[in-house]
Amino acid sequence: MTEDENQDDDELRRDRLLASLALIGGVGLIIALPFALMAGAEFFLPMTIAIVISIALVPALEWLERRRIPSALAASFCVILFLLVANGALALIIVPATDWFVNLPSKIPQIMNNLEPLIKFYSDLQKFIDDTAKMITAGPVAEMQTVTVDSPTSLVDLVASSAPTVAVQMFFVILVIFFFLSGWTRLRENTINSRGSFTGALTTARVIQNVVSATSAYLVTITFINIMLGAAVAIVLWAIGMDSPAMWGGIVALLNFVPYLGPILTAILLALGGLMTFDSLWLAMLPALVQIGFNAVEANIITPTVLGRRLTVNPLLILISLSFWTWIWGTPGALLAVPLLIIIQTVIAAAGTPDIAGFLFEAGTLTKHGPGGAASEKNAANGEKNSN
């Protein structure tokens, strides 16, 4: 073995050692990150919400800045616009929903009367299952232990206890959005100019632009689609005589931001609202059926057509992201799941994915070296030396 070959082997062992350390560190970070995000939810959650909203508002900020409006003033306009839209949507939903919640106890007899055929059917089915189980079961059955969970004494106490924290977090989110937008142009220029080469600066600028474009385009498009979906459902509910159709349309639009789980929850709420409004079981189920039909058309035809291939995300990745962020942060995490997935995908697409398979099976490093990996490059180099 020649001296050059020994040197190549030493470099390969050194590269594999560094790659092994990087891989171990990356795995440790991935394992520890969810628990850190969960433990620091009071800080990380509002910060993440603010960053995602800020990225979505960047196109509006840049539009205002192109018209010679100072950055601070443009950021103020964007924040005010966001607050008006958010508060208007919440007022449209919360005020009527409060009346529905107050009237729920008085509507329980009507709900039970509507559900009486279903209750009788499942009662007979349960009796049949119990009788069958008694016939085929031999031996004593262990008694089930019940666990009593203390619940809040009232909804008012629960809201009162959480209101100060929510108010502080909302104020923090607004401040982060304002300062992020007001310093966006300067931050972007400093980040690009700090690169050591023209290629690095160009890549950084492309990543920033891709993240802003993809995130804002997705959020704006999905918001418009959800508003149209909510309006369509509200019109049909108004036509069949459902109370507070605008509130139900707002609920449909809001929960449709959560993939898969949102439409299911909306259908359940509409079924409950129908049971509180109508005297017939089949008519009471009509609002939920309307929402399911409109959502099927929106999810399978309208959204894929409008978003196009560039913003289409793998359904499996959406499900994994939804499960992960819901586990970390609950309902807010579910709302952030898809925007965060788009941001992460955009950054990875620009930075490149690590070649873990090549590292494990081809004696390579964690970075790709083109077709064939590091091993093929090494063999090609050795072949060239032997021919010389």
Side-chain angles (χ1 to χ4, degrees), residues 43 58 234 251 271 330:
F43 171 77
V58 164
I251 292 176

Side-chain angles (χ1 to χ4, degrees), residues 22-84:
L23 183 60
I24 294 172
V27 172
L29 179 62
I30 292 174
I31 295 176
L33 183 61
F35 300 98
L37 293 174
M38 193 181 303
E42 292 186 356
F43 171 77
F44 290 114
L45 177 57
M47 177 67 72
T48 305
I49 292 174
I51 292 176
V52 171
I53 295 174
S54 300
I55 292 175
L57 293 175
V58 164
L61 173 78
E62 294 177 342
W63 185 85
L64 292 173
E65 288 182 339
R66 285 195 296 267
R67 279 143 185 84
R68 305 291 180 87
I69 298 178
S71 297
L73 186 58
S76 300
F77 286 154
C78 292
V79 172
I80 293 173
L81 176 63
F82 166 74
L83 291 176
L84 289 176

Side-chain angles (χ1 to χ4, degrees), residues 355 358 362 364 367-381:
D355 186 18
E362 295 183 7
T367 55
K368 293 184 178 180
H369 297 275
S376 62
E377 288 191 357
K378 180 176 178 292
N379 293 332

